[in-house]
Amino acid sequence: MAASKPVEAAVVAAAAPSSGSGVGGGGATAGPGTGGLPRWQLALAVGAPLLLGAGAMYLWSRQRRRREAGGRGDAGGLKRNSERKTPEGRASPAPGSGHPEGSGAQLEMNSLDRAQAAKNKGNKYFKAGKYEQAIQCYTEAISLCPIEKNADLSTFYQNRAAAFEQLQKWKEVAQDCTKAVELNPKYVKALFRRAKAHEKLDNKKECLEDVTAVCILEGFQNQQSMLLADKVLKLLGKEKAKEKYKNREPLMPSPQFIKSYFSSFTDDIISQPMLKGEKSDEDKDKEGEASEVKENSGYLRAKQYMEEENYDKIISECSKEIDAQGKYMAEALLLRATFYLLIGNASAAKPDLDKVISLKEANVKLRANALIKRGSMYMQQQQPLLSTQDFNMAADIDPQNADVYHHRGQLKILLDQVEEAVADFDECIRLRPESALAQAQKCFALYRQAYTGNNSSQIQAAMKGFEEVIKKFPRCAEGYALYAQALTDQQQFGKADDMYDKCIDLEPDNATTYVHKGLLQLQWKQDLDRGLELISKAIEIDNKCDFAYETMGTIEVQR
């Protein structure tokens, strides 16, 4: 899809479901990361924003929350990416450290000592992978611990929850974590473990509440927590959007979306303008060959409708060509499949794509294009192995096809294989030196690599690369969009806003750019009204922009 289409968490090039819900050719998104971090794994284009989902709302209020969370001892000081898998050690002072004299105190120490001993024994079982025995020991520790020893007792419950987690007994995990949190309301490990249990139990709202508390207590410094927060908030936003807009009739995406999508393919036969000899009656006698073509070729009529932007008639005309097993049946199958994808009907698209791929006598570029689109569809369906197979097959059968490397590069971004992505973009650029999209996306991939590696000199080099791309290709909206995402990440909000304005100047009907710009207002100026106004504008422009609906739903959930 070209310069401006959103990307879902597991979506990549050319799948192009409804406008805004998937990726087309050029689209992708930003975020930080490794194998699944939502802020990065939404890969290129003006796709899902740098701050999609929880990131947008969290970072919107990050400074305020950091002030609130500042100075909180245990909660705020956790390290980035800290794990919470193992049970905890001693929570109370060692025997003899300041307890009062007397039989009552001595009895309390004996009970607590025995509880600690049981817990320590449980920890040994846990480390040995003997979780049932560990649970028995933690249960004994809970029964022995004096009820007024809240810190110790909460640790015992949390440790038992950790053992239940290893056995995937999620209900018990949630129950024990609840006990631990009741005893110690700022117990980050217990809150996070309960959040994960709620996720497994499909209690999304409860999961979001717990993980939001964890993020606040940690000062938004732990990527593990932010990952889960983004994930569940995005799921809730999608549910909210589906519930609110479930009665919308399926519509063809906007003409701007469709043109942007096809512009991301340079070796796609079906997206090329009609040849003069193919046109129905422009240069020929109406009673001659043109009249026969007009009557008998549904595919050529579909191509004519494409040039006229009369997209609603294309599927039916292609079906006529296919039913008649006409001369252009392979082309008609691919064009029909493409428009099925554009309206979000992947189940109807797949059989057509399968047929084109299996037609050994078909033009190799048709088959390669079908593989690209099927591979993108698989990625959207979260089947990365099948997606990878299709892209690799496309490269094998048509190694000089720049589109293969362009779109496979986006797949590699989504799979966090940045070096391989850069190599694919380089090959695309070698084959198509004037490919503005590939050059912009390569620059973004290099930025991602530098950002995740925390390499300041490489970050600056990547930012300079963006400047060179937009100078060389001033009409490429994708370059401005990706640069804006990087600028937002660097908190250069004013300049990012300017870049989105340039995107809008180039593509005024691009709904997703308005969503990005709206999210930027939330992060930059904490201006919720302006942010929602821009997202509403996106829906006004394209009432099938699922990206806008889901973002709106996410904001509503967070509010």
Side-chain angles (χ1 to χ4, degrees):
M1 242 161 39
S4 46
K5 300 308 144 200
V7 186
E8 295 292 300
V11 184
V12 75
S18 56
S19 66
S21 68
V23 167
T29 48
T34 57
L37 282 178
R39 289 176 60 203
W40 281 121
Q41 256 210 334
L42 309 171
L44 307 168
V46 187
L50 181 66
L51 301 167
L52 182 68
M57 299 305 293
Y58 289 158
L59 294 174
W60 168 34
S61 56
R62 178 164 62 181
Q63 290 183 343
R64 174 177 58 81
R65 286 176 170 174
R66 276 183 173 171
R67 286 195 295 270
E68 293 173 358
R72 293 176 182 170
D74 169 43
L78 292 180
K79 293 181 180 179
R80 198 182 189 103
N81 289 323
S82 63
E83 296 291 334
R84 306 180 180 87
K85 296 180 180 179
T86 57
E88 304 217 49
R90 188 176 189 89
S92 292
S97 58
H99 284 275
E101 299 291 338
S103 58
Q106 188 62 45
L107 180 63
E108 179 183 297
M109 278 302 305
N110 290 338
S111 297
L112 186 56
D113 277 348
R114 284 185 287 144
Q116 290 286 357
K119 187 245 351 207
N120 292 336
K121 186 177 180 182
N123 287 356
K124 291 179 181 179
Y125 279 128
F126 186 100
K127 291 175 183 177
K130 298 178 179 180
Y131 304 116
E132 295 285 3
Q133 293 94 320
I135 288 169
Q136 292 176 7
C137 291
Y138 296 140
T139 302
E140 181 183 356
I142 290 167
S143 66
L144 289 170
C145 185
I147 59 174
E148 64 273 17
K149 291 294 182 180
N150 288 4
D152 296 276
L153 198 53
S154 66
T155 298
F156 302 155
Y157 276 114
Q158 197 280 143
N159 282 12
R160 191 169 71 175
F164 278 130
E165 182 181 47
Q166 296 299 315
L167 299 174
Q168 299 186 26
K169 294 185 176 182
W170 305 112
K171 184 177 179 180
E172 289 82 357
V173 173
Q175 289 173 343
D176 272 2
C177 287
T178 296
K179 291 283 189 183
V181 172
E182 287 173 353
L183 293 161
N184 180 3
K186 294 182 181 180
Y187 199 166
V188 170
K189 274 193 176 182
L191 282 165
F192 186 72
R193 182 160 278 119
R194 188 171 68 178
K196 291 190 293 180
H198 281 315
E199 180 194 16
K200 296 293 184 181
L201 294 168
D202 201 32
N203 299 329
K204 297 184 184 68
K205 183 175 181 293
E206 292 80 1
C207 175
L208 180 61
E209 290 172 352
D210 280 346
V211 76
T212 300
V214 171
C215 289
I216 293 170
L217 290 170
E218 293 177 335
F220 303 90
Q221 294 302 301
N222 192 301
Q223 290 180 348
Q224 205 179 17
S225 308
M226 289 294 291
L227 168 60
L228 180 57
D230 267 0
K231 178 182 178 182
V232 70
L233 183 56
K234 186 167 180 289
L235 288 172
L236 278 167
K238 291 179 75 171
E239 286 185 359
K240 185 91 171 176
K242 286 180 180 178
E243 177 185 342
K244 189 167 184 178
Y245 304 105
K246 62 184 177 183
N247 295 323
R248 282 187 305 140
E249 293 183 7
L251 300 171
M252 189 67 68
S254 67
Q256 176 63 48
F257 182 94
I258 294 171
K259 287 187 286 186
S260 293
Y261 172 73
F262 279 112
S263 72
S264 70
F265 295 96
T266 55
D267 281 319
D268 179 7
I269 293 173
I270 64 168
S271 66
Q272 302 304 316
M274 292 178 67
L275 299 175
K276 186 174 182 180
E278 291 179 328
K279 294 191 176 182
S280 55
D281 58 5
E282 285 185 7
D283 299 308
K284 297 185 178 181
D285 190 311
K286 289 185 178 180
E287 294 182 359
E289 180 184 348
S291 177
E292 182 180 352
V293 170
K294 187 173 183 180
E295 290 297 321
N296 296 329
S297 179
Y299 171 70
L300 293 182
R301 285 194 296 273
K303 289 273 287 184
Q304 185 69 48
Y305 286 135
M306 277 190 70
E307 292 191 2
E308 296 169 359
E309 298 183 17
N310 193 353
Y311 299 120
D312 289 326
K313 294 184 178 181
I314 288 176
I315 289 176
S316 61
E317 292 299 332
C318 287
S319 295
K320 292 175 184 177
E321 182 82 18
I322 295 162
D323 292 342
Q325 296 188 341
K327 175 182 177 181
Y328 300 101
M329 188 175 74
E331 288 88 344
L333 283 165
L334 181 56
L335 185 58
R336 185 172 73 172
T338 302
F339 273 86
Y340 277 140
L341 289 173
L342 283 165
I343 64 173
N345 192 349
S347 60
K350 186 177 181 301
D352 285 355
L353 294 172
D354 291 345
K355 288 178 185 177
V356 176
I357 292 165
S358 66
L359 289 172
K360 303 298 183 183
E361 69 278 9
N363 185 305
V364 70
K365 293 198 179 298
L366 288 176
R367 296 175 61 216
N369 188 266
L371 283 162
I372 292 170
K373 290 170 180 173
R374 191 176 71 176
S376 300
M377 181 188 70
Y378 282 140
M379 194 62 196
Q380 184 186 357
Q381 295 170 346
Q382 301 185 37
Q383 301 184 69
L385 291 178
L386 291 176
S387 181
T388 300
Q389 288 173 9
D390 275 359
F391 278 104
N392 291 346
M393 189 186 305
D396 288 339
I397 68 170
D398 195 8
Q400 298 303 306
N401 189 327
D403 292 342
V404 175
Y405 304 102
H406 173 193
H407 294 281
R408 190 172 68 176
Q410 295 182 50
L411 169 67
K412 297 300 184 182
I413 287 288
L414 292 175
L415 297 177
D416 202 47
Q417 298 170 4
V418 180
E419 290 186 9
E420 294 180 31
V422 171
D424 273 342
F425 291 137
D426 279 337
E427 182 63 11
C428 177
I429 294 165
R430 184 186 71 80
L431 293 167
R432 298 277 182 179
E434 296 305 309
S435 175
L437 293 179
Q439 296 202 31
Q441 291 168 358
K442 175 189 173 183
C443 192
F444 180 73
L446 291 170
Y447 169 75
R448 272 200 49 205
Q449 189 176 45
Y451 181 85
T452 55
N454 198 28
N455 188 316
S456 58
S457 62
Q458 289 182 8
I459 288 173
Q460 293 305 312
M463 300 300 278
K464 183 179 179 181
F466 279 121
E467 294 281 359
E468 293 171 356
V469 166
I470 62 177
K471 182 177 180 180
K472 184 177 181 180
F473 303 104
R475 303 295 301 171
C476 177
E478 177 99 353
Y480 295 107
L482 295 177
Y483 190 24
Q485 293 183 22
L487 288 166
T488 302
D489 204 41
Q490 298 299 310
Q491 299 190 9
Q492 298 182 41
F493 301 124
K495 193 170 183 179
D497 197 46
D498 290 341
M499 294 299 107
Y500 284 132
D501 284 341
K502 290 183 178 179
C503 287
I504 291 171
D505 288 342
L506 290 169
E507 296 184 348
D509 294 331
N510 192 317
T512 57
T513 306
Y514 286 92
V515 182
H516 280 286
K517 187 175 171 67
L519 287 168
L520 179 63
Q521 305 310 306
L522 297 180
Q523 185 183 358
W524 178 21
K525 298 181 178 178
Q526 298 81 50
D527 190 342
L528 182 61
D529 291 339
R530 177 59 176 158
L532 291 174
E533 177 187 338
L534 286 163
I535 296 168
S536 297
K537 174 70 173 176
I539 294 172
E540 179 184 329
I541 290 171
D542 184 357
N543 66 358
K544 195 166 169 54
C545 183
D546 288 347
F547 175 41
Y549 289 120
E550 289 169 9
T551 303
M552 189 81 79
T554 298
I555 292 172
E556 289 182 14
V557 170
Q558 182 68 6
R559 291 174 72 183

